[in-house]
Structures are given as C-alpha cells and as structure tokens.
Amino acid sequence: MNPRVLNMLSTLNSLEIEQQQNHNYIEEMPDNAINKKLSKENRIKVLNNYFFRNKDIYISRHNRFAPYPNHSHTFLEFNYMLQGSAQQIVDGQTITLTQGDLLLLDIGATHSIAALGKNDLLINILFRNNNINIEFLKDLRRSRSVLYDFLLKSSINLQQKSRQQTHLLFKTANNVKISQIIDSIIEEYFLKREYSNTIIKAYLQILITNLVRDYHLPENKQKSKKDKLIIAMLSEVDKNYQSISLKDLAKKYSYNRNYLSNLFKKEVGKSFTDVVMQKKITQAHILITSTTLPVNNIIETVGFSNKNSFYKKYYAFYKEKPLASRQNQNELF
C-alpha cells in the first residue's frame, strides 16, 4: 500500500474524534443519501445511489470507535479488511472479518458493524451492478464447471436453507494478487490521478474475475449418498469430458444406466449429455479466446467428431461464431 494513502486512511477525521470520546454513532450521511420511503417500509436505514452522482464507484474508509446501526442499500458493496478485524451481523449471521478478508454484500442485504478500534481499517467499495458488464459475468459463470454450480447450490441450501444468499466471504489474506489489485483500486481512488475512474472500473472486473477463479466452496460434511455419487460423476465429466459416457460410469459405479440418467437429471437439472456438451463447448471457448490454435484443432481437442454440430452448438451457447469470439477477445487488449 502506498504510504501516503495508508497515512490518509489511518488519520482520524472529525467524526471519529467525537465518536472516540463518547463511543456513540454519529450520522455521517446527508439526508439525500437515505431512501426515506424504503427506510420507512423496512424500518431500517436504506442507502441509495447518492454516492454515484459523479463517479461509477465510491470508496470510503469506515469510521471507527462506534457501532454502525443495521442498514441496507440499493447497490453492491465490498467490505475489505485492510488492517485489523471487524465483526458484522449480516442478515442475522455473525461474521468476523480479519486482515485480508473481503465480504461481498448483495443489493438489499442488511448488516450492522461493531465498533472498530484505532488500528482497524475497513474499506467500503460501493458499485452498481451495471458497472460490471452483464456479458462479462455470464461468461464467468459459463466458464465454471457444472460441478462448481452443483456444489455452490448445495452449500447455499445447507447454509441458508430456504433463504436467499445475500453475501459471500472471500478469505484472501494469502492471495498476493488479490491484495495487490485491491491496493491498486484504493490508491487510484484516493490519489485522484488522471483517468482513475476508468482504471478503477477495469481493476474491479479483474478483481471479480480472480475472486471467481479462486473461490473455494465451504465443505459440506452432510452430503447424502446421492450427492456424493453426483459429485463423483461431475468430477469425471470435468476430467474426461472428451470421451466420457454414461455407460462407462454405470459400469464404474455399479449402477443401472437408466437409473443414473434419471438421478443425474433430477439432481443436476440437466441431462448427462447436455452437461458433457456444455463442458466441451466452454473448454473450446477458453482455447479459442486464449490461444491461437486453429479452430479445427480445438474442435478435435475437446472431443467433437462432427464440425457442423460443433459450430451450431457453439453459436447456440455464445450467440456468436468461434472466430468472432476470438476477434472480440483480441480487441479487449
């Protein structure tokens, strides 16, 4: 972290000096930053898009020495623990952030924050969902395996039961790349250099890409026998998608082929054939956009025997032809 920026973030402001004396929260938001109608309906303070009047992303250091009351917001928010620790209650769940932790709060999530000490530096990064290109996010999701999606759904169901998940906690203390990206975002914002808004938006996409790539799902120790079987099958698809068949898996796990087919469709929500096809298409897309290999070679590499079938399915999935995907990717750099 740039020493000048770190010094700025560590220096007490006037509100903190007063809060340090009496430990009572002092409202820092102007009236037009609070949605009075939603606040009245939900009986908690709801922050609106006031922060984005002149910029796409708003960053601040959380004021210390007094507890921040329960509130919600109409935008997405990252809470980054730059230094020290902080305790929050997010939709009734207690979460303790330690140095390097990054908490993503969805629109509508409610949370309160316990009083921070002098050496606790919590950074708020606020952004609207339209700051992240929708196609960019779709492509991230498509690049994840169906196994990842299945495990994510299982972990959410286990932790949240019937409730919608409103936050994700990323333990990034040992991820040097993540900390460098966040430091760069914070430095660009507070140093107010030329083109900083454009650079911050680009860094935000890079940050989210790395978080998605490195996110580790919490271990679910309550997996049923069926879940374990589906996870094993999906793992096989990830490893051997080029040549895998349901017949081979039925033989390997000693199950009737039709039983496996029906169970897979019920638990995953897609047929085994569709999942294998998706894996082949997404792997082809990765090779098309990240290498200069001829498309015909890529088609063979991912296990397609019919080129016409590949082109039809690729277009149906990505809404563009393979070479157009490669060209669009090249134009980004």
Side-chain angles (χ1 to χ4, degrees):
M1 172 67 68
N2 182 297
R4 179 184 165 197
V5 174
L6 188 59
N7 182 61
M8 290 169 58
L9 295 173
S10 301
T11 302
L12 273 63
N13 60 36
S14 58
L15 283 180
E16 287 182 310
I17 292 172
E18 191 171 346
Q19 288 185 168
Q20 188 178 31
Q21 293 173 348
N22 54 36
H23 300 287
N24 293 322
Y25 169 72
I26 301 172
E27 181 58 69
E28 58 183 318
M29 302 298 173
D31 285 345
N32 52 351
I34 301 171
N35 189 314
K36 300 292 178 58
K37 182 180 179 181
L38 288 178
S39 296
K40 186 176 181 181
E41 290 174 356
N42 298 318
R43 298 183 180 178
I44 59 171
K45 181 170 70 173
V46 179
L47 304 180
N48 60 28
N49 289 338
Y50 161 86
F51 305 95
F52 308 109
R53 293 176 302 168
N54 301 314
K55 56 194 69 164
D56 295 304
I57 296 163
Y58 178 86
I59 302 175
S60 65
R61 195 258 295 133
H62 187 80
N63 285 338
R64 294 161 286 184
F65 308 116
Y68 197 95
N70 201 29
H71 66 286
S72 181
H73 36 71
T74 60
F75 43 80
L76 294 160
E77 177 179 359
F78 273 127
N79 285 173
Y80 178 61
M81 205 71 227
L82 177 64
Q83 182 178 294
S85 62
Q87 188 176 85
Q88 297 198 30
I89 298 178
V90 183
D91 289 326
Q93 180 181 349
T94 301
I95 296 175
T96 299
L97 301 181
T98 56
Q99 185 169 328
D101 287 351
L102 188 64
L103 178 66
L104 173 60
L105 297 160
D106 199 358
I107 294 170
T110 62
H111 67 126
S112 59
I113 305 172
L116 301 182
K118 183 178 180 180
N119 297 319
D120 300 324
L121 298 180
L122 180 64
I123 308 300
N124 306 313
I125 303 174
L126 318 181
F127 60 100
R128 291 172 288 191
N129 53 354
N130 61 349
N131 291 143
I132 301 299
N133 184 275
I134 297 301
E135 288 305 313
F136 169 79
L137 290 176
K138 283 181 180 177
D139 197 51
L140 284 183
R141 183 165 180 82
R142 285 168 177 161
S143 70
R144 303 306 303 202
S145 69
V146 178
L147 170 60
Y148 181 90
D149 286 342
F150 180 79
L151 290 173
L152 181 59
K153 182 177 71 174
S154 298
S155 66
I156 290 173
N157 288 341
L158 175 66
Q159 296 173 52
Q160 305 292 332
K161 296 182 180 178
S162 61
R163 294 181 297 162
Q164 180 183 359
Q165 188 182 37
T166 58
H167 64 276
L168 281 176
L169 178 61
F170 301 91
K171 308 294 286 187
T172 62
N174 297 320
N175 192 319
V176 176
K177 181 179 290 186
I178 294 293
S179 63
Q180 288 175 341
I181 295 169
I182 298 176
D183 283 354
S184 295
I185 290 174
I186 295 170
E187 289 170 9
E188 284 291 339
Y189 188 88
F190 286 102
L191 293 177
K192 295 180 170 57
R193 294 184 285 215
E194 195 174 14
Y195 310 120
S196 61
N197 190 56
T198 301
I199 292 171
I200 290 169
K201 285 199 293 182
Y203 272 134
L204 185 62
Q205 289 200 349
I206 295 169
L207 172 63
I208 292 175
T209 304
N210 279 274
L211 290 173
V212 170
R213 183 172 64 184
D214 298 338
Y215 183 59
H216 297 290
L217 294 166
E219 185 179 356
N220 179 355
K221 297 181 180 179
Q222 302 178 31
K223 294 187 185 79
S224 66
K225 185 178 179 180
K226 287 192 299 184
D227 279 348
K228 290 178 180 178
L229 176 59
I230 295 299
I231 289 168
M233 292 176 68
L234 288 168
S235 296
E236 292 280 356
V237 172
D238 270 354
K239 296 173 187 174
N240 307 306
Y241 61 91
Q242 296 98 329
S243 58
I244 197 167
S245 73
L246 194 56
K247 181 180 178 181
D248 292 337
L249 292 183
K251 183 178 180 180
K252 179 173 182 175
Y253 296 111
S254 302
Y255 280 96
N256 176 274
R257 183 185 181 282
N258 289 335
Y259 170 79
L260 273 190
S261 177
N262 294 331
L263 177 66
F264 191 94
K265 177 70 179 289
K266 178 183 177 182
E267 297 297 320
V268 178
K270 298 178 181 179
S271 72
F272 182 80
T273 301
D274 286 344
V275 166
V276 173
M277 187 64 65
Q278 177 180 328
K279 181 67 179 181
K280 289 181 178 181
I281 292 293
T282 54
Q283 287 301 115
H285 179 72
I286 291 170
L287 292 173
I288 287 166
T289 56
S290 62
T291 74
T292 57
L293 286 171
V295 174
N296 285 344
N297 290 10
I298 292 172
I299 292 172
E300 293 177 6
T301 299
V302 299
F304 270 94
S305 57
N306 188 311
K307 294 178 183 178
N308 288 334
S309 174
F310 169 79
Y311 279 101
K312 287 179 181 178
K313 293 185 182 301
Y314 187 95
Y315 188 84
F317 199 73
Y318 286 104
K319 307 305 178 188
E320 63 183 6
K321 295 179 180 179
L323 290 180
S325 294
R326 176 169 284 174
Q327 182 179 350
N328 291 336
Q329 183 69 19
N330 290 338
E331 289 176 352
L332 292 176
F333 300 97

